[in-house]
Amino acid sequence: MWNAAVHAEYLHDHNDYGFDVGNVRFSWETLKAKRDAYVTHLNRIYRNNLDKAKIQTVQGYARFTDAPEPTVEVNGRKYTAPHILIATGGQPSVLSDDEVPGASLGITSDGFFELETLPKRSVIVGAGYIAVEMAGILSTLGSKTSLIIRQTGVLRNFDTFISTNCTKELQNTGIDLWKNSQVKSVSKTDKGLEVTIVTKDPEKKNDEEKISVIQEVDCLLWAIGRQPNTSGLNIGGMGVDTDEKGHIIVDEFQNTNRSGIYAVGDVCGKALLTPVAIAAGRKLAHRLFEGKKDSKLDYSSIPTVVFSHPPIGTVGLTEEEAIKARGKENIKIYKTSFTPMYHAITSRKSQCIMKLVCEGKEEKVVGLHMQGLGCDEMLQGFAVAIKMGATKADFDKTVAIHPTSSEEFVTMR
Amino acid sequence: MLLRTCRLLPSVSLASRTHSPASFLVMAILPQLTRTLAPCRLVLRKRLFSSFRRHAVTRSMASDPAAAADATRFDFLVIGGGSGGLAGARRAAELGANTAVIESHKLGGTCVNVGCVPKKVMWNAAVHAEYLHDHNDYGFDVGNVRFSWETLKAKRDAYVTHLNRIYRNNLDKAKIQTVQGYARFTDAPEPTVEVNGRKYTAPHILIATGGQPSVLSDDEVPGASLGITSDGFFELETLPKRSVIVGAGYIAVEMAGILSTLGSKTSLIIRQTGVLRNFDTFISTNCTKELQNTGIDLWKNSQVKSVSKTDKGLEVTIVTKDPEKKNDEEKISVIQEVDCLLWAIGRQPNTSGLNIGGMGVDTDEKGHIIVDEFQNTNRSGIYAVGDVCGKALLTPVAIAAGRKLAHRLFEGKKDSKLDYSSIPTVVFSHPPIGTVGLTEEEAIKARGKENIKIYKTSFTPMYHAITSRKSQCIMKLVCEGKEEKVVGLHMQGLGCDEMLQGFAVAIKMGATKADFDKTVAIHPTSSEEFVTMR
């Protein structure tokens, strides 16, 4: 969907580049059909890979029995092993109709992928990366989109440089941003949903609340967090510890507190990213079945990209985290912002911002943060360098590649 | 006031008396006089030390009144206002050197005016054309599409002019004097250049005159002058209907890609069987294939024999050899109604009008200025950076070398020089290519086949999962030794243009395959394939 949104952005810019296109019509149906076919194709590939590897697949929900030796039951049949890995993942969080009347009239990211047509009017609730990505896709593809956030910026756990810039870019692309706001209630009319929003102004002395209503909404999307899939497993019966949200607690080797039972991925609640789950799962396999008793995933400096418009890349500590950990006097910041050459001849503009968080006399790069065209493919190589302990000098002694945006990272002053 | 005094002092006291006690006394006093103005003192001290070094060369301003009297003296004189020259000049000025730049044409040189910058604008436009092809697949129904080269060119030219102005402003702000015109070394013993009748000199002169496209003469190929070069490409007022590009290097590849993708029926004439023959064969083979996939009519084992003009356009006669056949049978073909014949057969240095031969500055057989690792020519006080040296013809290389030189000359950093190993470079083909370090062949030659391990992969990027038009992404790591140090990285595919820089940092640091593997992948991207190779 992000790739499709990028197409829409190119459509906006065609004129500037000398291309005169006639009337443009977008068919969500065409796109969805092809996207679904691709996903089905991948399902088949994954099935084939398992078959080729002679891995038996069992379809159904697993639940631990009360047997002393860890055993799971699926559709009446029992399975056991000396090593059992729980990797049940998570799902989008929802508010109940008790918490917010009519909340169930909205969808989550799961429902987003079931939408049969482009919503005319979308309201997204949330400030994390999923909310940002969903809002970006819908707005760029042509849905009039509002984003409801409880505070004043999105991506509040990212470096403030990114959080501020992303919030600004969202608004620049035409998303109607509601700060200091929450959904109070939702009701259904024959013209669509009516979403009632309460807005607080933190500046004012009195806790005055403003009530507003967005009408004729055909898509209300809750992107307010995710929760682990542990409730049906009966791991409590196994004595496996979870935190207050249901995440399975593991040590650095992915062990739960129960010998022979392990967990990886979103169900653990730490670094909810596919490559993290993959890497942790593989490291575990090498530990259990190749005797590599030190095999574990290093969770530090995990790079991640947010597919916003333009995309964000980040690895390592934020400036705030670095100052807190090492003291302001030990931290040096390098940053830059510029308009990428792509926009030199377009009326639509986006910025590219880059920041290096450096520590100590040798200026070790402990954090790298960026947003801009190309940042999605730009980050991986820098993540390798940072994992190796790169310093600002290592960056500077690398010859720049011209003309690119990436070269700005090795020429910062 | 003191600054002016500083500059005057040397002309009085820095005579050829490099070995006399009196000059020692003068040297001792001078720092006292200039103590309050640090940059000036540094500059003076540099000059003093460099005059000590000029043992074999007796240069004396006092003994050559002409040079002293009517030549404007600077601390640093830069011939050429392109990437290397401007970077060197600006850094020198920052460090306190009184600097002048001589430019015969437009500020920014090749890069800004007829190279990197306008090339990238055209490549961005070609990417738009590719998106246009794919719109339908992504659910977008566009009406009739009309492309206006004129609109694009006007905006591109305006951007380049804007950059020319920015470069001018930067020089003015840095108080660097700019002189418009061609520089030529005079016969004066102390290096002096003349521009439009006026003379300029400095103890440090940087030659950064760059290069230009090579051409064949009409003697070598009749009608060759009917073709244009990359310079002419940027003067084209309209999209050629029928283009013929000659050459197999990156400029030929980029030009052919841009023209073809924007809608010109394009042929590419190459002497052997693949393009980019100095790149890793993985890239050379793949790029040659992708060119053909995008509809470029590739003529292998071919050369242009002659060109003639008709009222319908150019007629290009091509001779094709088949290296397989025993007899050297040549096939003659003619491409007709060509409105753009573009020679992209190499570049040559701009040294012929400089009279550096008169200065005794050594050049190679092609005219490139020979320099050592510190950018010194064989003539003390004369340096060279950039394309004119013929090594690593890239803007960032010229910039880095120019800056390193400035730090060496004007900040006393005597070890300051550019490391020319592991220079990353991107070719803006379709899709783009990224490469850094040794090719597999070079690595095997240098270290022996048993010490080299290759990792590679090819895949269709997710972008193409729902398009009928496909392009591949290929990646290769060349690793050396037991620790599998990554000595070379080569790739072609969507996104590779922005992907390379970070990997280049890692490879410069001596990254091993294990360093790549212990970095968590970023999903879904193409770049993640580099850290998950088996």
Side-chain angles (χ1 to χ4, degrees):
Chain A
M1 298 306 283
W2 185 80
N3 282 336
V6 170
H7 265 263
E9 289 184 314
Y10 270 90
L11 269 159
H12 283 301
D13 301 336
H14 278 328
N15 265 333
D16 290 316
Y17 269 89
F19 295 90
D20 190 14
V21 296
N23 280 332
V24 180
R25 279 191 321 267
F26 172 60
S27 164
W28 179 283
E29 295 74 12
T30 300
L31 177 64
K32 179 178 188 294
K34 302 185 91 168
R35 186 196 75 207
D36 289 348
Y38 177 52
V39 168
T40 302
H41 174 67
L42 289 177
N43 295 143
R44 269 198 295 268
I45 287 177
Y46 275 59
R47 154 69 56 195
N48 287 344
N49 284 341
L50 287 177
D51 292 345
K52 273 192 293 192
K54 309 255 191 290
I55 295 168
Q56 185 169 347
T57 45
V58 180
Q59 189 74 30
Y61 284 95
R63 182 184 166 79
F64 280 89
T65 69
D66 298 321
E69 186 186 1
T71 308
V72 296
E73 188 168 336
V74 185
N75 297 329
R77 302 192 65 167
K78 295 195 176 120
Y79 305 88
T80 188
H83 303 290
I84 299 180
L85 173 61
I86 303 171
T88 51
Q91 56 183 284
S93 299
V94 285
L95 292 173
S96 70
D97 284 349
D98 293 331
E99 294 168 289
V100 170
S104 54
L105 291 166
I107 60 172
T108 65
S109 56
D110 287 358
F112 172 83
F113 293 111
E114 288 165 5
L115 288 174
E116 297 284 350
T117 185
L118 176 72
K120 268 207 204 59
R121 187 77 178 85
S122 304
V123 173
I124 323 288
V125 185
Y129 87 87
I130 294 175
V132 166
E133 290 184 351
M134 299 278 106
I137 289 168
L138 285 165
S139 172
T140 313
L141 288 177
S143 179
K144 186 163 154 56
T145 305
S146 301
L147 181 63
I148 318 298
I149 63 179
R150 284 186 297 187
Q151 300 198 32
T152 53
V154 297
L155 304 178
R156 288 181 305 111
N157 292 331
F158 285 62
D159 191 282
T160 44
F161 197 41
I162 298 291
S163 171
T164 305
N165 192 72
C166 185
T167 305
K168 191 166 64 119
E169 288 280 6
L170 277 175
Q171 293 175 285
N172 284 351
T173 58
I175 290 170
D176 169 40
L177 184 65
W178 293 62
K179 302 180 182 182
N180 303 309
S181 301
Q182 294 189 59
V183 173
K184 192 177 159 75
S185 64
V186 188
S187 60
K188 192 167 175 170
T189 77
D190 49 8
K191 285 198 196 156
L193 300 178
E194 221 174 65
V195 182
T196 303
I197 295 163
V198 57
T199 304
K200 287 186 178 155
D201 187 353
E203 300 301 317
K204 296 214 170 92
K205 274 221 166 118
N206 51 345
D207 267 324
E208 194 179 291
E209 291 183 354
K210 183 170 175 255
I211 307 288
S212 320
V213 180
I214 304 180
Q215 294 176 324
E216 294 179 47
V217 174
D218 43 351
C219 172
L220 168 66
L221 200 159
W222 299 101
I224 54 173
R226 292 181 66 81
Q227 59 201 34
N229 291 332
T230 41
S231 52
L233 275 176
N234 188 30
I235 45 174
M238 294 306 303
V240 170
D241 287 341
T242 59
D243 69 12
E244 68 282 3
K245 292 193 177 133
H247 297 113
I248 296 178
I249 297 172
V250 292
D251 67 10
E252 49 182 349
F253 291 95
Q254 314 299 144
N255 294 316
T256 66
N257 60 312
R258 185 67 201 262
S259 170
I261 301 183
Y262 320 88
V264 299
D266 285 11
V267 77
C268 301
K270 180 175 181 178
L272 277 56
L273 297 161
T274 277
V276 171
I278 289 175
R282 288 175 177 164
K283 290 286 185 188
L284 180 65
H286 283 283
R287 180 163 74 82
L288 300 180
F289 303 112
E290 208 188 16
K292 293 200 157 152
K293 56 181 178 60
D294 293 326
S295 180
K296 63 180 167 94
L297 174 62
D298 178 355
Y299 281 78
S300 69
S301 289
I302 293 175
T304 170
V305 163
V306 175
F307 286 92
S308 45
H309 297 273
I312 287 160
T314 176
V315 62
L317 305 176
T318 66
E319 176 177 346
E320 232 177 77
E321 288 168 343
I323 286 174
K324 197 163 173 188
R326 318 271 196 262
K328 202 176 164 79
E329 64 284 1
N330 288 323
I331 299 300
K332 175 130 201 237
I333 301 297
Y334 292 89
K335 50 188 197 187
T336 184
S337 11
F338 58 93
T339 306
M341 199 197 281
Y342 171 81
H343 285 301
I345 68 170
T346 62
S347 40
R348 177 184 79 93
K349 304 284 189 198
S350 76
Q351 281 299 99
C352 185
I353 65 165
M354 296 170 160
K355 179 194 251 190
L356 291 179
V357 181
C358 303
E359 171 198 319
K361 213 159 53 85
E362 71 283 9
E363 293 190 335
K364 180 176 169 185
V365 180
V366 295
L368 181 153
H369 312 283
M370 57 176 163
Q371 180 169 19
L373 296 172
C375 288
D376 51 313
E377 294 290 358
M378 201 191 295
L379 179 61
Q380 187 74 82
F382 286 111
V384 175
I386 286 169
K387 190 83 179 179
M388 291 170 69
T391 61
K392 177 69 164 61
D394 288 318
F395 274 54
D396 294 345
K397 66 172 69 129
T398 308
V399 176
I401 303 164
H402 183 71
T404 66
S405 288
S406 64
E407 61 179 305
E408 297 295 322
F409 264 122
V410 300
T411 51
M412 282 177 149
R413 295 186 100 189
Chain B
M1 192 56 163
L2 192 54
L3 191 60
R4 221 177 298 138
T5 312
C6 286
R7 286 196 211 105
L8 284 172
L9 278 171
S11 64
V12 170
S13 60
L14 262 191
S16 61
R17 291 171 252 153
T18 51
H19 298 284
S20 83
S23 60
F24 278 104
L25 185 59
V26 166
M27 312 290 177
I29 292 173
L30 274 173
Q32 304 286 334
L33 291 171
T34 59
R35 195 182 299 145
T36 55
L37 203 58
C40 179
R41 175 176 59 201
L42 276 172
V43 167
L44 267 180
R45 213 172 262 159
K46 286 295 134 282
R47 206 173 303 131
L48 295 173
F49 288 136
S50 62
S51 77
F52 268 108
R53 282 194 216 109
R54 285 187 236 152
H55 302 311
V57 179
T58 44
R59 196 93 24 241
S60 166
M61 301 218 295
S63 62
D64 187 345
D70 62 357
T72 311
R73 171 168 277 266
F74 292 91
D75 298 329
F76 192 41
L77 190 58
V78 177
I79 307 174
S83 300
L86 291 183
R90 287 181 66 193
R91 191 54 59 92
E94 243 177 73
L95 295 171
N98 186 25
T99 305
V101 170
I102 302 168
E103 170 53 46
S104 64
H105 201 49
K106 288 186 184 166
L107 289 176
T110 296
C111 175
V112 168
N113 298 290
V114 288
C116 328
V117 171
K119 180 270 296 286
K120 186 77 190 282
V121 174
M122 298 308 281
W123 184 80
N124 283 336
V127 170
H128 264 262
E130 291 185 310
Y131 270 90
L132 270 160
H133 283 302
D134 301 338
H135 278 329
N136 266 331
D137 291 316
Y138 269 90
F140 296 88
D141 189 13
V142 295
N144 278 332
V145 180
R146 279 192 322 267
F147 171 61
S148 164
W149 177 283
E150 295 76 10
T151 299
L152 177 63
K153 179 177 188 292
K155 300 185 92 169
R156 187 194 77 207
D157 289 347
Y159 177 51
V160 167
T161 303
H162 175 66
L163 289 176
N164 294 141
R165 269 198 294 267
I166 286 177
Y167 276 59
R168 153 70 55 197
N169 287 344
N170 284 341
L171 289 177
D172 291 345
K173 272 192 295 190
K175 309 256 189 291
I176 294 169
Q177 184 166 349
T178 45
V179 180
Q180 189 74 31
Y182 284 92
R184 182 184 167 79
F185 279 90
T186 69
D187 298 319
E190 185 183 6
T192 307
V193 296
E194 187 167 337
V195 186
N196 298 328
R198 302 191 66 165
K199 295 197 173 114
Y200 305 89
T201 188
H204 304 290
I205 299 180
L206 172 61
I207 301 172
T209 50
Q212 56 181 281
S214 299
V215 285
L216 292 173
S217 70
D218 283 350
D219 292 329
E220 292 167 291
V221 171
S225 54
L226 291 166
I228 60 171
T229 65
S230 55
D231 287 356
F233 172 82
F234 293 113
E235 287 166 6
L236 289 173
E237 297 284 349
T238 185
L239 176 73
K241 270 207 203 60
R242 187 76 178 87
S243 303
V244 174
I245 323 289
V246 185
Y250 86 87
I251 294 176
V253 167
E254 289 183 351
M255 298 278 107
I258 288 167
L259 285 166
S260 172
T261 312
L262 289 177
S264 180
K265 185 163 154 58
T266 305
S267 301
L268 180 63
I269 319 298
I270 63 177
R271 285 186 295 186
Q272 300 198 31
T273 54
V275 297
L276 303 179
R277 289 182 302 112
N278 292 332
F279 284 62
D280 191 282
T281 44
F282 197 40
I283 298 292
S284 172
T285 305
N286 192 71
C287 183
T288 305
K289 191 165 65 113
E290 288 280 6
L291 277 175
Q292 294 176 286
N293 285 352
T294 58
I296 290 170
D297 169 40
L298 183 65
W299 292 62
K300 302 181 185 183
N301 303 310
S302 300
Q303 294 190 62
V304 174
K305 192 177 158 77
S306 64
V307 187
S308 60
K309 193 167 177 171
T310 75
D311 49 6
K312 284 198 196 157
L314 299 177
E315 220 174 67
V316 181
T317 303
I318 295 164
V319 56
T320 303
K321 286 186 177 151
D322 186 351
E324 301 301 319
K325 297 212 171 95
K326 273 220 167 119
N327 49 345
D328 268 325
E329 194 180 291
E330 290 182 354
K331 181 170 173 254
I332 307 288
S333 320
V334 180
I335 304 181
Q336 292 175 324
E337 294 180 47
V338 175
D339 43 352
C340 173
L341 168 66
L342 201 159
W343 299 101
I345 54 173
R347 292 181 64 80
Q348 58 201 34
N350 290 333
T351 41
S352 51
L354 275 174
N355 189 29
I356 45 175
M359 295 305 300
V361 170
D362 286 342
T363 59
D364 69 12
E365 69 282 2
K366 295 197 174 127
H368 298 111
I369 296 179
I370 297 172
V371 293
D372 67 12
E373 49 182 346
F374 291 95
Q375 313 298 147
N376 293 317
T377 65
N378 60 312
R379 186 61 202 267
S380 173
I382 301 183
Y383 320 89
V385 298
D387 284 12
V388 77
C389 301
K391 180 176 182 178
L393 276 58
L394 297 161
T395 274
V397 172
I399 288 175
R403 287 174 179 165
K404 290 285 184 185
L405 179 66
H407 284 282
R408 181 163 75 82
L409 300 180
F410 303 110
E411 207 188 21
K413 293 202 160 151
K414 57 182 179 57
D415 293 325
S416 182
K417 64 180 168 99
L418 174 62
D419 179 355
Y420 282 77
S421 68
S422 290
I423 292 174
T425 169
V426 163
V427 175
F428 286 92
S429 45
H430 297 273
I433 288 161
T435 176
V436 61
L438 305 176
T439 66
E440 177 177 346
E441 233 178 78
E442 287 168 343
I444 287 174
K445 198 166 172 187
R447 318 270 197 262
K449 204 177 161 81
E450 64 284 0
N451 289 323
I452 299 300
K453 174 128 202 241
I454 301 297
Y455 292 90
K456 48 187 197 187
T457 185
S458 3
F459 58 95
T460 306
M462 197 196 286
Y463 171 81
H464 285 299
I466 68 170
T467 62
S468 39
R469 177 183 78 92
K470 304 284 188 197
S471 75
Q472 282 298 99
C473 184
I474 65 165
M475 297 169 159
K476 178 193 251 190
L477 290 179
V478 181
C479 303
E480 172 199 318
K482 211 157 50 85
E483 71 283 9
E484 292 190 333
K485 181 176 168 186
V486 180
V487 296
L489 182 153
H490 312 282
M491 57 175 162
Q492 179 168 21
L494 296 172
C496 288
D497 51 313
E498 295 290 356
M499 201 191 295
L500 179 63
Q501 187 75 82
F503 286 110
V505 175
I507 287 170
K508 191 83 180 178
M509 291 169 69
T512 60
K513 179 67 163 62
D515 288 319
F516 275 54
D517 294 344
K518 66 171 68 127
T519 307
V520 176
I522 302 163
H523 183 73
T525 65
S526 287
S527 64
E528 62 180 305
E529 297 294 324
F530 264 122
V531 299
T532 50
M533 282 179 150
R534 293 185 104 190

